[in-house]
Structure formats: C-alpha cells, structure tokens
Amino acid sequence: MSGIIIAFITGVLGPILIMLVKNRLDSSKKKPDMVTETLRVSELVTSKIEHIREEFKSDRVWITQFHNGGNFYPTGKSMAKFSVMYETVNVGVSSIQNNYHNIPVNLFSKSINHLLKCDVIEIPDFKDDNIATYGLKYAAEDTECKSGYLFAIKTIDEKFIGTLGLDYTKRKVKLTDEDIRHLEVHASSLGGVLMSHLAQ
C-alpha cells in the first residue's frame, strides 16, 4: 500500500509541484524597468539617426512620434498630436525639438496625409515653386531648411507611428533614388525599434 502512495505522489503530485514551483519562479522574474528600457531604445535610436546624418551628410535628422495630447471639449475625444522625440544636429545648426512638441496633427494635415499614402516627401529646394512642399514651406523658413526629406515610420502591420526627417540648412541637396530607397529601409528599421518599445 505504501508503494502505491509513493507512486501516486511521485507520478501525479510530483509534476504538479514542479509546475507550481516553476510558475512561481517565472512570475518572480523582474519585468524590464521602464526607465532602463526607454534609455536603451533612446540610445539605439540616437545612434541610428546620427549614422543617418553622417551617411547622407545632412545638417539635422529628427524623428516625430504620434501621441494623444488631451481631449476635445465637450466630446472628450482624444486629440492626435505629434512631437519631435529624437534629434541630432551638426555643430552650428539649430535644434527644432523644443519648437515641435505637442503639435496637433491637423496643422500639418497635407504633409501627414501625403506620407500616409506615399511614405516619402522629397523637397530638394524649398524655394522652387515647381516643387510641392505639402504645407511645409513656412516651417522650412522658420528652421532655415533649404532641402528636406521626410519618411513615414510605420509598423510591420502598416500603422503610421511617426516620421523620419532629414534637413539640409547650409546647402540645397538632391538625393538620388538609391538614397531614397536606403532611407526608406532606415525608416522601416526605426519603426521596428520604436514599435517594440511601445508594445512593452
């Protein structure tokens, strides 16, 4: 009889006890610290945009991200806004990060709609009236931008989460088709990094 009890305990209760102990150990593992994870992603993104700035010899590279920014009165519906979350600039080039914080999406609806549909905006010369600027001309004047390139940052399932921007402030620059394709790959890669961080 004692052999049956021992067999029962080891055969049935043993695996259950092992599962309980394993589940307790798994649940006690620490989740990634939010600040540590944010700093890791920030370092990764900053390194990537610095590489882009150097590779394409631009004066300023920045990333915007969409976020909610308060509610409409009286409906309470959330407002869609964007902010420059990451930026790198050359020496002597002004930063735009503080000027583009909590900006309502509707103020840049032409450019954002174009990026949503076409993924890229190419403006090799903001002063050339034959080139569409999608409502960005006044922003370019304020930021001393002579040429600008914007790329939609999307998730793998095509959710539009932000933009990658390259500004040329010292000279006009016409990027090649190959440059544009390469920058689209960079934007896609940034989408993966940012989305993995947002999903946590």
Side-chain angles (χ1 to χ4, degrees), residues 148-161:
Y149 297 85
L150 286 79
F151 300 84
I153 297 176
K154 295 182 178 178
T155 64
I156 197 159
D157 57 345
E158 289 297 304
K159 287 185 181 140
F160 188 17
I161 61 170

Side-chain angles (χ1 to χ4, degrees), residues 45-62 87-91 93 164-168 171 183 186:
V45 171
T46 300
S47 172
K48 190 154 185 67
I49 64 174
E50 284 174 351
H51 169 78
I52 291 168
R53 182 175 49 82
E54 291 168 8
E55 182 179 357
F56 295 95
K57 297 177 178 50
S58 61
D59 299 307
R60 181 171 43 229
V61 176
W62 45 268
E87 178 186 43
T88 180
V89 297
N90 278 339
V91 175
V93 176
L164 165 66
L166 283 80
D167 293 344
Y168 294 87
R171 68 198 192 291
L183 283 160
H186 280 303

Side-chain angles (χ1 to χ4, degrees), residues 16-179:
I16 292 172
L17 289 172
I18 290 171
M19 281 179 40
L20 288 172
V21 169
K22 183 181 180 300
N23 285 343
R24 174 152 269 178
L25 289 172
D26 286 347
S27 68
S28 69
K29 288 181 183 173
K30 284 188 171 183
K31 293 181 181 174
D33 176 63
M34 181 178 73
V35 173
T36 303
E37 180 60 17
T38 299
L39 292 171
R40 184 189 70 76
V41 169
S42 179
E43 187 176 312
L44 185 63
V45 171
T46 300
S47 172
K48 190 154 185 67
I49 64 174
E50 284 174 351
H51 169 78
I52 291 168
R53 182 175 49 82
E54 291 168 8
E55 182 179 357
F56 295 95
K57 297 177 178 50
S58 61
D59 299 307
R60 181 171 43 229
V61 176
W62 45 268
I63 290 177
T64 64
Q65 285 183 270
F66 298 114
H67 56 86
N68 113 17
N71 299 327
F72 286 103
Y73 176 81
T75 64
K77 186 176 178 186
S78 183
M79 295 178 194
K81 293 190 175 184
F82 70 88
S83 295
V84 173
M85 302 299 286
Y86 303 94
E87 178 186 43
T88 180
V89 297
N90 278 339
V91 175
V93 176
S94 61
S95 169
I96 63 168
Q97 192 165 20
N98 290 334
N99 298 339
Y100 290 91
H101 185 70
N102 283 327
I103 306 296
V105 166
N106 62 295
L107 293 180
F108 288 86
S109 59
K110 273 186 176 179
S111 57
I112 292 173
N113 272 321
H114 185 79
L115 284 170
L116 181 64
K117 294 174 189 167
C118 302
D119 293 332
V120 179
I121 292 177
E122 300 176 52
I123 309 170
D125 183 358
F126 272 102
K127 291 193 176 179
D128 185 339
D129 292 333
N130 296 316
I131 297 174
T133 59
Y134 305 98
L136 297 172
K137 196 170 209 162
Y138 75 92
E141 289 170 2
D142 287 347
T143 60
E144 301 172 349
C145 184
K146 295 182 191 276
S147 300
Y149 297 85
L150 286 79
F151 300 84
I153 297 176
K154 295 182 178 178
T155 64
I156 197 159
D157 57 345
E158 289 297 304
K159 287 185 181 140
F160 188 17
I161 61 170
T163 58
L164 165 66
L166 283 80
D167 293 344
Y168 294 87
T169 62
K170 295 184 168 96
R171 68 198 192 291
K172 292 181 254 182
V173 173
K174 171 79 171 127
L175 295 178
T176 67
D177 290 343
E178 185 179 337
D179 291 337

